[in-house]
Amino acid sequence: MGPIKFTIIKKLKTNNRFNYTPRYYNGKDGVDESKYTTKIDAYTESYNKNDFGSHWKDARKSSRSRGNMEFNSTILIIVAILVFIFLWIIDFDLSIF
């Protein structure tokens, strides 16, 4: 019997995306092969014209904004109110400080 894997704690491994282009298919345009050492290296970073999933993923990455990364003040106020309600329920006394 092997070790037990806890998938709740550790994230599952995501599948790798296979970027395959047949030999005589001209699906990848605009790749300058002279910049790379081999032809395989030149085409690994580009996507096929009909690979809509990869194009969609790149468009999502480019359109993301970091405007909502700061801590929300509404959440801070709600947490403070809940802490004060909890302290009132357990009859916390501030005179001990």
Side-chain angles (χ1 to χ4, degrees), residues 8-43:
I8 297 171
I9 298 169
K10 192 171 95 173
K11 288 181 14 178
L12 294 173
K13 181 184 172 191
T14 57
N15 293 333
N16 293 334
R17 188 167 178 89
F18 187 64
N19 191 10
Y20 171 73
T21 303
R23 179 181 294 188
Y24 299 109
Y25 176 68
N26 296 328
K28 296 181 180 181
D29 293 332
V31 178
D32 188 16
E33 294 178 13
S34 62
K35 293 181 182 178
Y36 299 96
T37 56
T38 63
K39 189 174 182 180
I40 295 172
D41 291 339
Y43 289 100

Side-chain angles (χ1 to χ4, degrees), residues 47-59:
Y47 302 118
N48 290 329
K49 286 188 281 186
N50 59 357
D51 190 3
F52 299 115
S54 297
H55 293 296
W56 176 256
K57 187 171 75 172
D58 287 344

Side-chain angles (χ1 to χ4, degrees), residues 55-65:
H55 293 296
W56 176 256
K57 187 171 75 172
D58 287 344
R60 283 186 60 223
K61 278 186 182 178
S62 66
S63 68
R64 283 186 179 165
S65 65

